[in-house]
Amino acid sequence: KILYSILGFTASLTLGISLSQNCFTANAEGPKDALITPTSYEQYLKLTSPSDVAVNERYTAISDKNNIYLYDRVEGVYRKYEHNQNVDQSKNDVTKLEFSDNGALYFSDKSTSLYRLNPATLTAQKEDLVCSTFTLSGTDLYFSNVSGGYSSISKAALSNLSLSSSTSIVDGLLSDTVLSISNDEIFYTDSGKYLYKYSNAQSSFISNFSNSLTSISVTSSLFCCTDNSGVFSVYDLIDLYANQEKATPLFTAEGSFSKITIFDDFVYAIDGDSVKQYSLFERSFTGYQICATSNAQNRLNGATDVPVAMMTRRGLFSVSSGSRRTEVSNSSLRRARRPT
């Protein structure tokens, strides 16, 4: 069953009543002082247990249990696809997301089934292929399957997604693998901790890690990964090739990181119940974070009640008993100011 819904920020805003844990965007053209309700905004979305994130030119997609939230940057709204294809509801949780070059969103669920979702219509089609994880490169899909404790990597054309038409690339891997593709080279793990590269029809060892890797994403010069201790790291590929396990990360962040993806020189990382954006150039957190509340600049953190909120020509004034502070949102500057 597919639910079509546009997710704005739902809140009742009258004097002395509760407001959901979201912020306001101010209307700079407001003719007079007035109470306003929140509007959609990309960084404000309550997530429970996000499992993956995918980004392309138009959309940001986030899977959370059996839901996929799609933020449309053209329309400025979130829409939700609810995945209920399996009779066993526990199998409907989405495990992997990735956009193809033509804009379709491919995803897999806990039943290992693969689907193709149209972001514009929120209609999903089940493919004939099954997989434990996958990644896309041009017109091809690379995927893994686990059988008898061993994992294998295969390749299939997006135009003909079936096991019978797929080509085996690597097999005999211990436990499940994570994989990424850069410049037609396949990076993958064996036994969780050992990183290999498949290129020119042969595999070569790159490095081993102290913790099992839960997600990897590679560019022409950088290797990004998360591990089962919740750490997000970025390595220089040349340093990783040369020094293997002794390579020093260019950047690390501790938390509850589990999945990452790269788009347009930014890393989007699942950290607990939020999605964070990191700059590959500056090797730091940008302040962009999709979640209900955040410690990042200009964000409300832990605000559970807004008894008073008033919009004036100078901005939006709100008193939050949850976060114990007054917020002033300046509509011309489009940022929040806090009294010192």
Side-chain angles (χ1 to χ4, degrees):
K1 181 182 177 181
I2 301 175
L3 296 181
Y4 296 83
S5 60
I6 299 177
L7 303 180
F9 292 102
T10 57
S12 298
L13 191 57
T14 54
L15 232 54
I17 65 173
S18 176
L19 180 68
S20 68
Q21 294 180 347
N22 293 315
C23 235
F24 295 89
T25 53
N27 180 2
E29 302 301 323
K32 60 183 180 179
D33 295 351
L35 292 175
I36 63 171
T37 55
T39 58
S40 296
Y41 185 56
E42 184 175 6
Q43 294 187 53
Y44 292 89
L45 177 68
K46 185 177 181 179
L47 300 170
T48 303
S49 184
S51 57
D52 204 6
V53 57
V55 184
N56 69 4
E57 290 82 0
R58 178 164 179 170
Y59 296 100
T60 296
I62 305 168
S63 56
D64 189 3
K65 295 186 176 180
N66 69 318
N67 298 313
I68 297 177
Y69 297 97
L70 281 150
Y71 182 77
D72 186 335
R73 281 183 285 280
V74 174
E75 300 293 333
V77 294
Y78 272 104
R79 294 183 176 91
K80 182 179 76 171
Y81 163 78
E82 186 172 353
H83 184 57
N84 289 313
Q85 297 280 354
N86 300 293
V87 175
D88 184 350
Q89 291 298 312
S90 66
K91 300 294 186 182
N92 286 319
D93 286 1
V94 177
T95 56
K96 169 70 178 177
L97 300 170
E98 193 163 333
F99 283 105
S100 65
D101 290 347
N102 67 4
L105 180 65
Y106 287 82
F107 70 92
S108 57
D109 62 18
K110 282 190 174 181
S111 73
T112 71
S113 296
L114 180 70
Y115 298 82
R116 183 177 74 252
L117 180 71
N118 184 323
T121 62
L122 293 184
T123 53
Q125 177 178 326
K126 187 177 182 179
E127 303 290 351
D128 292 333
L129 186 145
V130 295
C131 60
S132 58
T133 191
F134 68 90
T135 190
L136 302 173
S137 179
T139 58
D140 294 318
L141 180 142
Y142 295 79
F143 64 98
S144 72
N145 276 313
V146 181
S147 178
Y150 291 91
S151 180
S152 61
I153 300 174
S154 303
K155 168 186 173 182
L158 290 176
S159 58
N160 189 14
L161 289 176
S162 65
L163 289 175
S164 60
S165 63
S166 64
T167 302
S168 178
I169 295 176
V170 179
D171 57 19
L173 304 175
L174 290 174
S175 73
D176 201 1
T177 184
V178 292
L179 59 158
S180 178
I181 297 181
S182 177
N183 298 325
D184 296 323
E185 296 177 326
I186 307 170
F187 294 80
Y188 66 93
T189 59
D190 187 7
S191 302
K193 299 180 180 181
Y194 301 97
L195 178 66
Y196 289 83
K197 180 181 71 174
Y198 181 87
S199 179
N200 299 321
Q202 63 181 9
S203 294
S204 57
F205 175 76
I206 297 177
S207 182
N208 63 288
F209 296 82
S210 57
N211 294 301
S212 294
L213 302 185
T214 58
S215 180
I216 63 175
S217 196
V218 188
T219 71
S220 59
S221 60
L222 298 173
F223 176 80
C224 306
C225 63
T226 58
D227 63 34
N228 61 2
S229 70
V231 175
F232 162 49
S233 304
V234 179
Y235 292 85
D236 181 279
L237 262 180
I238 295 178
D239 184 35
L240 198 60
Y241 287 136
N243 297 303
Q244 299 183 353
E245 70 274 10
K246 296 181 180 179
T248 301
L250 299 173
F251 169 82
T252 60
E254 295 183 355
S256 299
F257 293 94
S258 58
K259 293 288 187 70
I260 53 172
T261 189
I262 295 176
F263 177 75
D264 198 22
D265 299 320
F266 294 97
V267 175
Y268 295 81
I270 300 289
D271 180 18
D273 60 358
S274 71
V275 177
K276 292 182 177 179
Q277 183 193 68
Y278 290 83
S279 169
L280 286 175
F281 287 135
E282 298 180 3
R283 299 165 190 166
S284 63
F285 175 51
T286 64
Y288 171 104
Q289 185 175 3
I290 299 174
C291 59
T293 61
S294 170
N295 288 319
Q297 185 178 5
N298 301 327
R299 296 290 299 271
L300 288 175
N301 179 36
T304 57
D305 190 55
V306 180
V308 178
M310 179 66 71
M311 182 67 195
T312 74
R313 289 187 177 91
R314 294 184 179 182
L316 174 71
F317 294 77
S318 62
V319 180
S320 168
S321 61
S323 61
R324 297 182 180 179
R325 69 188 187 210
T326 301
E327 296 286 341
V328 181
S329 178
N330 187 302
S331 59
S332 62
L333 297 177
R334 296 191 179 278
R335 61 185 177 88
R337 294 182 296 162
R338 303 170 191 166
T340 56

